[in-house]
Amino acid sequence: MKETKEFKTETKKLLDMMIHSIYTHKEIFLRELISNASDAIDKRHFMSLTDSNIPSVDYQILVEADKAKRTLTITDNGIGMSKEELENNLGTIAKSGSKEFLDNLDKNTPELDIIGQFGVGFYSAFMVANKVEVLSHKVGSDATYLFTSEGLENYTIESSDELIDGTKITLYLRENKDEENYDEFLDEYTIKELVRKYSDYVRYPIKTWVTKYDKPEKGKETEDNTHLELETINSMTPIWKKNKSEVKEEELNAFYKQKFMDYQDPLASIFVNVEGMLTYNALLFIPRKPMFNMYSDKNERGLQLYTKGVFILDKCKDLIPEYLYFVKGLVDSSDLPLNISRELLQEDRQIKKIATNVEKKILQELGRILKNDRSKYEEFFKDYGRALKYGLYENYGARKESLEDLIILESLNENKNITFAEYKEKMQENQKNIYFVSGKTREQALNLPQMSLLKKKNYDVLILKDDVDEFMLQVMKNYKDIEFKSINQGDLNLLDEEDAKKIDTLNEENKDLLTAIKECLKDDVSDVILSKRLVDGAVCLSSKDGLSIEMEKILKEQDSFAKAERVLELNPNHPIFAKLKELFAADKNSINDYASLLYDQALIIEGLQPKDPVKFANKVSELLLK
Ligand code: ADP
């Protein structure tokens, strides 16, 4: 019985796009169908290893052209599809890739890019065919079904008597029109080229009929003395099983794009052949741009896992640490049993060793890029730098040694991003610390009153912009034993001993005044001191070691009430301080208004709101009228 069914709305939309596609790379349809066929064989092969009822056969994918009928068929002896699977897999868009494709259609990406980016699997057949038949027999079942669609609204499904072990897809090619030549896909040469270009590494033989000359002497080649032979046209060695030196960069790029559905070449490819105690091959890629779903739940991290060339698992988390979530790739190990379960994988010592190795290789490659191709590294760091920073921050800085030299941060003096090593290199003679300012732009940083001394001494200052930066530095504590110092925290070690002592003495002498100010501000600050960092400015806000004011801001956004211990610093050399002293000597209560005004000023300098903006404004007005 033949049943006619209607495509689901979203499928129609996709089909409609394929039919009216002006995509210039229509040829990718063959890659898509062959890749489906190869997946189907993978599935069957995997089942046959664990289920004795499923026979293993000589796997192959057959591509046949019939010039008279203008059909192209792709036949595989893979797992096949049941009636329900034909409906669910081909009648609706269940598959996440195609669905995401559709979800993205309304955004601004041009159609061409999207097709290239995703490859749209089975539906791409409609770019070149106006009718598609899928004859399929699910392994282990006793029925065969034929799915037929002319692409528009409906498809039909009927049972069939035809014998087949797997799936046969027949494309009825469209008529040639203007420049659009569909006949070329029937051409032996084109088929061979396309298979080599897109599907060479497919692990099963892809065969097609190839013309052979009976009498090879030159000049005697006529139609009559040729015959056709079925020939395997792909090299079959998975690209990652080849020797590293044999694989060209273009090959790796093409493989990456096809396998991980990207339309751009990767930023970096890492090819690992390891032999010895631990034997495995790995191909790792850093996408040029974070994939659009990088941060969604759908983007599970993990590498594909193969063992002895057989596909085992799509996203093996245990192969890669969390902070390297953006790395795509695969690992093929020869030491793992085929039927290993997810639970066992977690415990597996081989997997752990491979993971450690893989991480090391990735970081080595990043180090290499940083050294040899700075602009490429900048590009990388813009998109993925945060990941490395989190890697450093995680586990109380356990990865410090392997990651610290991969971090770049903006430098005030150089006005570009530099590494800690480069900072160290340019440190001034008596400089004891690596200084940083956080949560400010370069311009803001330059104008901060607490910068004056650093500028005078020509000390460089790292400008931290990411919210993770300061947390990272706090976990790291130092770089090669040189401690990090926020220009806003603790003692900066900037004054020579004599000057520092002077300020200590002044602090002592003015204790009463400072205590009185502190008393006025007791809800807001934990200390009021004479500053060792101010040169021109009257006041600034700093915090005791530990949580900084910037960190407090960031934590607040995450609903944490952790507070920095704020310190109001006054410049003992500023006329304001002289004025305070004078007022305080005359009348101890006269300084209350000044205290809160000075604190508000310090808050504003820090980019914070005055405590009570209206009160602050009124007081300023009052002063202006005096
Ligand atoms: P994708 O292959 O990206 O999942 P497709 O639209 O190409 O998306 O295919 C949808 C589904 O149809 C596949 O996931 C697979 O389950 C099934 N399928 C497609 N081609 C074959 C085939 N040759 N043999 C068995 N199943 C297939």
Side-chain angles (χ1 to χ4, degrees):
M1 199 187 79
K2 185 162 168 170
E3 293 175 47
T4 302
K5 307 216 167 185
E6 209 181 315
F7 282 116
K8 291 266 157 58
T9 324
E10 46 185 13
T11 314
K12 276 189 209 161
K13 204 160 134 192
L14 188 54
L15 280 168
D16 192 59
M17 272 196 60
M18 289 305 122
I19 291 164
H20 298 110
S21 160
I22 45 159
Y23 189 48
T24 43
H25 295 84
K26 292 183 196 305
E27 61 188 36
I28 60 144
F29 81 92
L30 188 61
R31 163 193 94 183
E32 300 290 307
L33 296 180
I34 287 178
S35 149
N36 280 350
S38 160
D39 288 348
I41 298 176
D42 272 346
K43 287 180 196 156
R44 174 173 179 160
H45 179 47
F46 186 64
M47 277 174 83
S48 76
L49 296 169
T50 46
D51 181 346
S52 56
N53 294 321
I54 310 286
S56 145
V57 289
D58 278 338
Y59 301 115
Q60 63 167 18
I61 298 163
L62 196 59
V63 181
E64 290 168 293
D66 186 327
K67 286 195 172 151
K69 291 198 192 129
R70 298 190 75 253
T71 61
L72 189 69
T73 61
I74 293 101
T75 312
D76 66 72
N77 47 8
I79 193 165
M81 281 176 276
S82 65
K83 186 176 173 213
E84 288 69 36
E85 284 168 333
L86 281 168
E87 280 177 22
N88 291 336
N89 295 341
L90 308 183
T92 57
I93 303 178
K95 197 228 144 199
S96 60
S98 313
K99 226 174 136 37
E100 263 158 4
F101 169 86
L102 276 179
D103 294 344
N104 273 273
L105 276 189
D106 300 328
K107 297 198 183 146
N108 300 328
T109 328
E111 165 192 325
L112 304 188
D113 277 1
I114 310 180
I115 296 176
Q117 188 167 353
F118 291 91
V120 276
F122 172 73
Y123 302 100
S124 61
F126 288 96
M127 291 201 290
V128 297
N130 48 24
K131 178 176 163 190
V132 178
E133 285 176 356
V134 182
L135 184 75
S136 198
H137 173 260
K138 172 98 183 185
V139 71
S141 83
D142 49 13
T144 301
Y145 290 93
L146 177 67
F147 165 106
T148 310
S149 170
E150 303 205 14
L152 301 168
E153 301 279 312
N154 311 313
Y155 59 90
T156 60
I157 289 205
E158 62 200 293
S159 65
S160 164
D161 297 332
E162 214 175 311
L163 281 179
I164 176 154
D165 186 15
T167 303
K168 176 162 105 180
I169 299 186
T170 307
L171 309 184
Y172 293 82
L173 296 182
R174 296 199 208 174
E175 293 300 326
N176 296 334
K177 205 177 115 191
D178 307 328
E179 287 112 75
E180 312 259 1
N181 173 11
Y182 298 97
D183 277 340
E184 65 174 331
F185 298 120
L186 299 169
D187 190 60
E188 186 184 311
Y189 179 77
T190 311
I191 293 172
K192 282 204 288 200
E193 277 300 300
L194 291 181
V195 167
R196 269 194 215 120
K197 179 166 170 194
Y198 293 113
S199 315
D200 191 53
Y201 64 88
V202 168
R203 290 180 300 115
Y204 306 104
I206 302 170
K207 296 179 182 172
T208 197
W209 294 100
V210 175
T211 309
K212 296 281 168 186
Y213 297 98
D214 299 328
K215 287 177 196 149
E217 299 108 285
K218 273 232 148 41
K220 295 200 173 176
E221 293 150 5
T222 66
E223 287 281 319
D224 301 337
N225 56 18
T226 65
H227 71 277
L228 291 172
E229 265 177 35
L230 208 50
E231 197 174 82
T232 299
I233 46 178
N234 58 328
S235 76
M236 278 197 293
T237 321
I239 187 167
W240 64 90
K241 287 259 177 174
K242 291 185 183 171
N243 212 313
K244 212 164 140 176
S245 55
E246 287 169 23
V247 182
K248 290 200 219 76
E249 190 176 324
E250 299 89 78
E251 257 182 283
L252 280 180
N253 290 349
F255 173 81
Y256 162 77
K257 287 192 276 195
Q258 202 269 318
K259 182 113 185 154
F260 297 102
M261 298 193 183
D262 199 348
Y263 63 109
Q264 300 187 76
D265 286 342
L267 192 84
S269 324
I270 306 161
F271 193 164
V272 192
N273 294 139
V274 174
E275 250 169 86
M277 294 275 281
L278 193 67
T279 301
Y280 75 92
N281 290 333
L283 270 180
L284 308 161
F285 302 96
I286 298 172
R288 185 155 294 269
K289 283 277 151 210
M291 301 233 165
F292 70 93
N293 63 350
M294 191 70 102
Y295 302 105
S296 81
D297 303 341
K298 281 197 197 110
N299 181 56
E300 273 182 77
R301 112 189 109 93
L303 301 178
Q304 291 193 338
L305 177 64
Y306 289 74
T307 181
K308 300 177 190 80
V310 180
F311 174 76
I312 304 282
L313 194 62
D314 196 24
K315 302 258 164 122
C316 182
K317 285 200 180 71
D318 309 296
L319 283 171
I320 194 144
E322 193 165 342
Y323 78 97
L324 292 177
Y325 65 89
F326 54 88
V327 176
K328 303 268 163 203
L330 60 88
V331 166
D332 190 346
S333 144
S334 22
D335 309 317
L336 291 169
L338 281 172
N339 52 359
I340 188 159
S341 73
R342 272 166 203 264
E343 291 71 39
L344 281 176
L345 272 177
Q346 265 177 23
E347 299 306 316
D348 194 272
R349 290 199 21 233
Q350 301 279 357
I351 292 279
K352 284 201 174 122
K353 276 193 208 147
I354 295 176
T356 313
N357 245 334
V358 160
E359 180 182 1
K360 208 165 85 194
K361 297 278 178 193
I362 294 168
L363 299 184
Q364 265 171 11
E365 175 66 15
L366 291 177
R368 209 188 52 78
I369 299 173
L370 173 62
K371 193 162 154 237
N372 302 331
D373 192 344
R374 188 66 172 231
S375 67
K376 190 172 176 180
Y377 195 78
E378 292 270 350
E379 193 189 341
F380 160 80
F381 206 80
K382 210 163 85 208
D383 288 321
Y384 304 109
R386 282 173 70 87
L388 299 189
K389 294 170 179 177
Y390 276 113
L392 254 166
Y393 172 69
E394 256 178 0
N395 303 329
Y396 310 102
R399 291 197 173 82
K400 182 173 167 187
E401 215 167 295
S402 46
L403 289 177
E404 62 185 356
D405 282 317
L406 293 175
I407 301 296
I408 49 176
L409 294 167
E410 195 178 332
S411 135
L412 189 77
N413 285 1
E414 314 266 321
N415 198 12
K416 63 169 193 189
N417 294 323
I418 59 168
T419 61
F420 294 123
E422 286 160 351
Y423 184 103
K424 181 168 177 266
E425 187 75 13
K426 295 221 169 152
M427 273 171 67
Q428 304 297 319
E429 203 164 322
N430 293 317
Q431 187 177 346
K432 296 191 191 73
N433 294 104
I434 295 176
Y435 294 98
F436 66 88
V437 52
S438 116
K440 305 276 183 290
T441 63
R442 184 163 188 272
E443 281 64 38
Q444 287 167 341
L446 275 170
N447 290 328
L448 285 176
Q450 53 270 53
M451 286 288 289
S452 339
L453 262 182
L454 290 149
K455 279 195 286 190
K456 245 189 197 163
K457 289 174 178 278
N458 201 23
Y459 288 3
D460 197 3
V461 176
L462 295 171
I463 305 171
L464 310 188
K465 296 227 165 112
D466 260 347
D467 51 13
V468 58
D469 288 345
E470 206 174 340
F471 291 88
M472 167 184 82
L473 293 193
Q474 200 168 62
V475 163
M476 290 171 70
K477 290 196 183 70
N478 54 43
Y479 174 76
K480 311 275 182 224
D481 291 330
I482 309 169
E483 257 182 68
F484 298 121
K485 269 226 179 287
S486 158
I487 66 153
N488 270 346
Q489 269 188 299
D491 189 348
L492 293 186
N493 300 326
L494 288 175
L495 297 180
D496 57 41
E497 221 171 300
E498 201 179 316
D499 289 341
K501 236 186 218 138
K502 256 189 219 157
I503 304 236
D504 288 339
T505 319
L506 277 174
N507 262 312
E508 209 41 55
E509 285 170 12
N510 292 287
K511 209 168 170 187
D512 289 348
L513 169 59
L514 297 173
T515 315
I517 299 175
K518 187 174 155 188
E519 184 55 29
C520 296
L521 301 172
K522 63 174 183 289
D523 297 336
D524 306 303
V525 302
S526 57
D527 217 348
V528 178
I529 59 166
L530 293 179
S531 179
K532 287 181 183 166
R533 67 187 101 216
L534 288 174
V535 177
D536 305 315
V539 284
C540 73
L541 203 58
S542 68
S543 64
K544 299 203 166 159
D545 286 327
L547 202 66
S548 74
I549 296 166
E550 274 310 314
M551 289 162 100
E552 178 189 305
K553 278 191 218 162
I554 291 158
L555 290 175
K556 202 162 165 192
E557 276 162 31
Q558 298 166 8
D559 289 332
S560 155
F561 294 104
K563 284 240 172 253
E565 283 195 84
R566 297 180 181 198
V567 177
L568 181 68
E569 301 196 8
L570 305 176
N571 183 352
N573 304 316
H574 197 280
I576 290 265
F577 184 64
K579 173 95 186 213
L580 276 174
K581 275 202 324 199
E582 194 187 302
L583 286 168
F584 190 67
D587 171 4
K588 292 204 162 26
N589 291 321
S590 61
I591 53 147
N592 299 7
D593 274 358
Y594 284 83
S596 68
L597 259 181
L598 287 172
Y599 178 59
D600 281 341
Q601 276 189 35
L603 286 173
I604 294 173
I605 292 171
E606 260 319 292
L608 296 163
Q609 280 257 352
K611 244 190 111 183
D612 181 340
V614 175
K615 215 162 146 191
F616 173 75
N618 288 341
K619 272 189 196 152
V620 172
S621 302
E622 247 173 64
L623 280 179
L624 288 172
L625 291 172
K626 265 191 186 163

